[in-house]
Amino acid sequence: MTDRLGETRRPPPAVAAAERGATRIADRVVAKIASQAAREALDVLPPGAVPPHATVVVRHESARVRVSVELGYPSDIGGRCNAVRRQVTERVKALAGMEVPEVAVHVERLHLRAAPGAAEGRAR
């Protein structure tokens, strides 16, 4: 390349990726990923249930997650919570590139499932 004086210019040296800057993913973005992952893990929510929501604290490329869920009852509560933990860990790692050393699942409410053929209201 030459400049207007006819002198040869060299392109600037390439800057290593680590020296160019860093990408920071906001806590609220990771929280949205975690909330969606919890919804995916639970598949079907009981009628009247509030969708899962998450809060996240990100430090040094790792995220600590707290997810609040509402579950149907009776069900395998421990199994459902483990499924949420696994899915949140996998999705946050895949989409945000962060390690997830802790996923705390807080069961906010249990929704009683009506027995098949049971009438609404109280029986006398």
Side-chain angles (χ1 to χ4, degrees), residues 98-124:
M98 295 181 182
E99 295 298 320
V100 184
E102 177 183 343
V103 177
V105 180
H106 180 77
V107 179
E108 292 274 335
R109 184 174 171 195
L110 294 174
H111 294 266
L112 186 60
R113 293 182 185 166
E120 293 289 322
R122 296 175 66 125
R124 292 185 172 222

Side-chain angles (χ1 to χ4, degrees), residues 44-63:
V44 178
L45 296 176
V50 173
H53 58 281
T55 56
V56 175
V57 175
V58 176
R59 287 197 181 106
H60 307 295
E61 300 301 319
S62 71

Side-chain angles (χ1 to χ4, degrees), residues 67-86:
V67 181
S68 297
V69 298
E70 295 185 9
L71 301 174
Y73 185 81
S75 67
D76 179 8
I77 295 170
R80 309 255 348 244
C81 290
N82 284 335
V84 168
R85 281 186 199 94
R86 272 192 310 276

Side-chain angles (χ1 to χ4, degrees), residues 14-38:
V15 178
E19 295 176 13
R20 283 185 253 163
T23 301
R24 184 182 180 305
I25 300 172
D27 293 12
R28 66 188 174 99
V29 173
V30 180
K32 286 185 180 188
I33 293 170
S35 296
Q36 179 61 38

